Amino acid sequence: RSINLLEMEDSGHKDLQSSEKILAAKDEEIKELQRMIENFKNNAQMLKQGKSYYESECLKMTKEKNDLKEHNEALINNLAVLQNQIRSLKIRGAVPEEDQKPQNLTENEVP
C-alpha cells in the first residue's frame, strides 16, 4: 500500500511539473500577445497621425488648386478683355490688321 501512495505522490509531482511547464508556456504566449497588442496600438496611433497629416496636405493642395483655378479664370477674363480692346482698336484703325507679334514673344504667348 505504501508503494501505491509513493507512486501516486510521484505521479502527482510529475503532473504538477507538467502543469507548471504548461502554465509558464501560457505566460509566454500571453506576454507575446500583449506585445503584439502594444505594437498594434502604436501602429494605429502612427496611422492616425499619418492620416491626419495627409488629410491636412490634401486640404491645403485642394485650396491651392482652387486658388490656381480662380487665377486662371481671371487670366482668361483679362485676355478676353484685351482681345476685345484689340478688336475695338482694329475697327478704329489704331492697330494694323496683320497683328504683328513683337520679336521677344514665343509662339505660345499672346501679345
Side-chain angles (χ1 to χ4, degrees), residues 31-81:
K31 286 177 187 173
E32 182 59 26
L33 289 172
Q34 288 171 334
R35 281 192 288 271
M36 290 172 68
I37 290 168
E38 196 57 37
N39 284 339
F40 282 126
K41 284 180 186 176
N42 291 339
N43 290 342
Q45 185 61 32
M46 286 173 46
L47 288 171
K48 283 180 190 175
Q49 290 170 351
K51 180 180 178 241
S52 294
Y53 170 78
Y54 286 114
E55 284 174 339
S56 171
E57 285 298 301
C58 186
L59 288 173
K60 188 167 59 171
M61 287 184 180
T62 300
K63 184 190 179 319
E64 290 173 5
K65 176 185 154 192
N66 290 336
D67 290 349
L68 285 171
K69 274 182 162 178
E70 288 178 19
H71 181 71
N72 285 352
E73 288 171 9
L75 289 173
I76 289 168
N77 290 337
N78 289 343
L79 182 59
V81 168

